[in-house]
């Protein structure tokens, strides 16, 4: 099979020996039991995937009990007000809130901008809520290809503004203690939210984050593609080294990218590719935590983001997890290294909000 760039790629479920030898025995056994022989997501029409019934992913814990779970609708302020309101789910810790309210974490789900809902990360987010003692808000942004870039950006920014303006009243949140973050495509959108606050003249300039929490983030949608003339397209060796990676091959990633940003030249927009943000933005980034996987296609995009904020003098922590796969933070019941990844992510958020 060939990618859009003419790169030959094996079917997603086939792991070459060169890949399998770098995976932990625990992950290899888990993969063989749960994914070997299954068709890749890019074998289906996106609408088919989007309409599958909700289920707990293989290897994931069930959601934990929190104080409350609320479904709300956010009225648009930044994007087209004639569009439907944006659904969110809000998890609140059990117990008595501290004076001033619980801190708040805005976590944006992954799924390649093509799949996923506000409930996709419930096992992670409910544990985050209970363990880090934070309100957690998860948005249901519009998905590609029905609504490509920048629809997801617009929706996530509208929810961010709502949390900032209404969070104290509607959620009992202390919005002065605020973390943002996300996984994969959600990490991409998290970085973009921060840059929009720096860029837009009417953005609330007093909104400051305690942390940007990034798990296996997409930070550059020009990666590995010279056609747009991006200065960073060839800066990510993991796109070659991990082209056959389990659960996110180059073929699958290109499928997601092509659906999300079909206009190739929009990929140079730094609201799509945070690595292309103006140089003067980097010193204004919040403290950052980046978790990447050594065998992940996107490994070096996360590392590059960490290096850029560090070079600008921003405190940043990079954690590298070994022998697992791109989505393994959500496979923490089955995988010790996935559990360590999840634990570290939650602890970084807890420390940023409470220490």
């Amino acid at each position: 099979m060939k990618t859009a760039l003419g790169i030959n790629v094996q079917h997603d479920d086939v792991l070459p020996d060169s890949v399998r030898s770098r995976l932990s025995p625990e992950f290899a056994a888990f993969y063989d039991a749960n994914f070997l022989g299954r068709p890749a997501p890019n074998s289906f029409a996106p609408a088919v995937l989007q309409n599958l019934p909700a289920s707990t992913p293989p290897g994931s814990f069930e959601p934990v009990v929190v104080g409350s779970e609320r479904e709300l609708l956010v009225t648009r302020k930044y994007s087209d007000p004639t569009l439907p309101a944006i659904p969110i789910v809000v998890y609140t810790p059990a117990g008595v809130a501290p004076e001033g309210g619980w801190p708040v974490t805005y976590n944006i789900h992954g799924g390649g901008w093509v799949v996923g809902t506000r409930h996709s990360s419930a096992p992670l987010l409910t544990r985050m809520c209970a363990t880090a003692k934070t309100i957690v808000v998860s948005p249901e942004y519009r998905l590609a290809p029905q609504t490509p870039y920048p629809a997801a950006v617009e929706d996530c920014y509208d929810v961010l503004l709502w949390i900032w303006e209404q969070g104290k009243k509607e959620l009992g949140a202390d919005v002065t203690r605020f973390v943002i973050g996300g996984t994969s495509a959600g990490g991409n959108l998290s970085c973009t939210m921060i840059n929009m606050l720096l860029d837009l003249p009417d953005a609330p300039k007093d909104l400051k984050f305690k942390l940007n929490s990034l798990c296996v983030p997409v930070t550059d949608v020009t990666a590995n593609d010279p056609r747009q003339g991006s200065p960073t397209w060839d800066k990510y060796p993991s796109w070659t080294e991990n082209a056959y990676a389990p659960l996110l091959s180059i073929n699958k990633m290109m499928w997601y990218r092509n659906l999300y940003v079909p206009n190739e030249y929009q990929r140079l927009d730094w609201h799509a590719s945070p690595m292309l943000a103006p140089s003067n933005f980097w010193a204004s980034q919040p403290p950052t935590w980046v978790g990447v996987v050594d065998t992940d296609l996107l490994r070096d995009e996360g590392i590059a983001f960490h290096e850029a904020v560090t070079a600008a003098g921003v405190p940043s922590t990079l954690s590298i997890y070994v022998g697992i796969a791109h989505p393994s933070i959500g496979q923490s019941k089955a995988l010790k290294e996935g559990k360590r990844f999840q634990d570290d992510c939650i602890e970084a958020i807890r420390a940023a909000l409470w220490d």
Side-chain angles (χ1 to χ4, degrees):
M1 183 181 294
K2 290 188 176 182
T3 70
L5 299 183
I7 300 170
N8 286 303
V9 177
Q10 297 186 24
H11 193 273
D12 277 357
D13 70 347
V14 177
L15 298 181
D17 290 342
S18 59
V19 173
R20 188 173 286 272
S21 65
R22 298 170 57 209
L23 301 171
S24 71
E26 183 179 56
F27 177 82
F30 168 73
Y31 179 87
D32 289 347
N34 291 279
F35 298 100
L36 194 64
R38 289 176 54 179
N42 48 314
S43 303
F44 299 95
V48 172
L49 300 176
Q50 292 163 358
N51 289 305
L52 290 174
S55 62
T56 301
S60 174
F61 287 105
E62 293 292 332
V64 303
V65 175
V66 296
S68 69
E69 176 180 337
R70 298 170 63 195
E71 302 280 349
L72 299 172
L73 292 173
V74 171
T75 303
R76 296 173 183 276
K77 179 177 179 179
Y78 170 75
S79 58
D80 183 350
T82 65
L83 292 172
I86 304 160
I88 63 172
V89 61
V90 180
Y91 303 109
T92 301
V96 178
E99 185 177 354
W102 295 110
V104 62
T105 298
Y106 182 32
N107 189 277
I108 305 172
H109 73 77
W113 312 277
V114 173
V115 295
T117 72
R118 61 194 182 280
H119 300 294
S120 296
S121 301
L124 169 63
L125 300 190
T126 53
R127 187 162 174 252
M128 185 183 295
C129 171
T131 304
K133 299 299 182 185
T134 174
I135 293 169
V136 179
V137 178
S138 175
E140 186 147 326
Y141 54 86
R142 287 171 290 165
L143 300 174
Q146 296 91 335
T147 49
Y149 174 83
V153 170
E154 294 171 348
D155 291 2
C156 290
Y157 189 66
D158 264 324
V159 173
L160 175 61
L161 293 179
W162 182 88
I163 298 170
W164 175 247
E165 295 171 359
Q166 302 296 326
K168 182 172 181 60
K169 175 185 175 184
E170 298 293 336
L171 307 180
D174 177 359
V175 294
T176 68
R177 292 192 291 160
F178 202 152
V179 163
I180 193 168
T183 298
S184 193
N188 170 277
L189 292 164
S190 174
C191 295
T192 295
M193 296 303 99
I194 294 163
N195 287 335
M196 291 177 76
L197 293 175
L198 297 172
D199 176 47
L200 299 179
D202 58 351
K205 300 305 180 186
D206 48 349
L207 197 173
K208 304 294 183 184
F209 296 110
K210 297 293 187 181
L211 187 72
N212 185 15
S213 170
L214 302 175
C215 302
V216 292
V218 185
T219 64
D220 192 343
V221 297
T222 73
N224 207 54
D225 187 348
R227 292 175 296 179
Q228 297 87 45
S230 168
T232 55
W233 77 270
D234 60 348
K235 303 300 184 184
Y236 312 106
S238 57
W239 269 74
T240 301
E241 180 184 333
N242 296 330
Y244 302 92
L247 305 180
L248 189 65
S249 68
I250 192 171
N251 186 54
K252 187 186 297 183
M253 187 62 210
M254 290 300 296
W255 182 75
Y256 286 131
R257 179 197 288 183
N258 290 338
L259 292 174
Y260 178 53
V261 198
N263 181 333
E264 294 176 5
Y265 290 93
Q266 282 188 316
R267 297 173 192 177
L268 294 167
D269 181 350
W270 45 270
H271 287 178
S273 295
M275 285 304 303
L276 301 181
S279 59
N280 61 313
F281 278 24
W282 291 101
S284 299
Q285 297 292 310
T288 303
W289 184 88
V290 183
V292 300
V293 170
D294 67 333
T295 53
D296 183 17
L297 183 83
L298 301 179
R299 179 195 67 205
D300 292 338
E301 293 188 40
I303 292 174
F305 193 89
H306 160 76
E307 291 175 344
V309 294
T310 300
V314 175
S316 182
T317 299
L318 174 68
S319 297
I320 301 177
Y321 302 92
V322 178
I324 52 176
H326 177 77
S328 289
I329 190 172
Q331 297 162 344
S332 55
K333 182 177 181 180
L335 304 172
K336 294 183 180 67
E337 190 75 343
K339 177 68 160 50
R340 186 170 77 89
F341 191 173
Q342 188 172 118
D343 287 348
D344 289 352
C345 170
I346 293 173
E347 172 55 22
I349 291 170
R350 188 210 62 77
L353 292 172
W354 292 99
D355 287 359

